[in-house]
Amino acid sequence: MLRHCLLPLLALSPLLAACSGGEAPRTAEFVQAAPAEADFGDLRVRYNALPTLSLSEAVAKQYGVPRDAGTALVLVALRKVAGGEEVDADGEVSVTAHDLSGARQAITLRKVDAGGYLDHIGTARISPRDSYRFEVAVTSGGRTETVKFQRNF
């Protein structure tokens, strides 16, 4: 009886080995969220949200944000594109985040010097293994544009 149960398993073992390509199992690696951007005429909006634990101590200190599992850094950069070059663009930025349950949080932003550019940063409260939708409203040069993006933490 045992022999009849083992035969199907033995027949499947070459197929299972082929699925892994012969590679040994490896631990999961943290993948940083890819920064994103949107162009509105000559205005470029760069945006990102990432867990503050992924920041180095030096960067967290520079930005003045806590490094903990329940906090994400939200960053929005406004640039004016002229002749292939980017320069700082002035504007107002507001960000809201929504989790999967629909709970909404407004994110307070402040301007920080980022190597000659002024970026807008803030923090959002996050829960591990949750997904958040961010809505970024930018007013610059007499127009208002909106960007939406999602991040999984």
Side-chain angles (χ1 to χ4, degrees):
M1 177 84 160
L2 181 62
R3 183 175 167 210
H4 292 292
C5 293
L6 290 177
L7 285 176
L9 290 176
L10 291 174
L12 287 175
S13 64
L15 295 175
L16 293 174
C19 290
S20 67
E23 289 184 33
R26 48 189 172 168
T27 56
E29 297 176 18
F30 177 75
V31 177
Q32 295 252 1
E37 63 185 44
D39 289 338
F40 301 100
D42 64 349
L43 177 66
R44 177 165 293 155
V45 180
R46 295 181 190 274
Y47 48 91
N48 202 356
L50 61 153
T52 57
L53 283 179
S54 68
L55 301 174
S56 70
E57 290 284 344
V59 170
K61 185 176 180 178
Q62 175 189 351
Y63 284 156
V65 296
R67 291 182 72 240
D68 68 66
T71 305
L73 174 70
V74 178
L75 180 122
V76 180
L78 304 180
R79 306 290 186 257
K80 184 173 182 172
V81 181
E85 298 292 320
E86 291 185 1
V87 296
D88 247 347
D90 192 33
E92 296 299 317
V93 180
S94 65
V95 179
T96 56
H98 302 264
D99 66 14
L100 289 175
S101 70
R104 178 184 184 272
Q105 62 178 302
I107 299 167
T108 302
L109 300 175
R110 60 186 168 86
K111 292 182 182 179
V112 297
D113 184 357
Y117 294 100
L118 285 179
D119 291 342
H120 303 257
I121 67 163
T123 56
R125 295 301 304 158
I126 58 170
S127 297
R129 295 173 299 286
D130 204 350
S131 184
Y132 294 82
R133 292 183 327 270
F134 294 88
E135 185 170 316
V136 180
V138 175
T139 302
S140 179
R143 65 180 183 246
T144 299
E145 304 292 350
T146 302
V147 174
K148 296 179 182 179
F149 69 102
Q150 183 171 322
R151 291 290 184 262
N152 302 317
F153 296 101

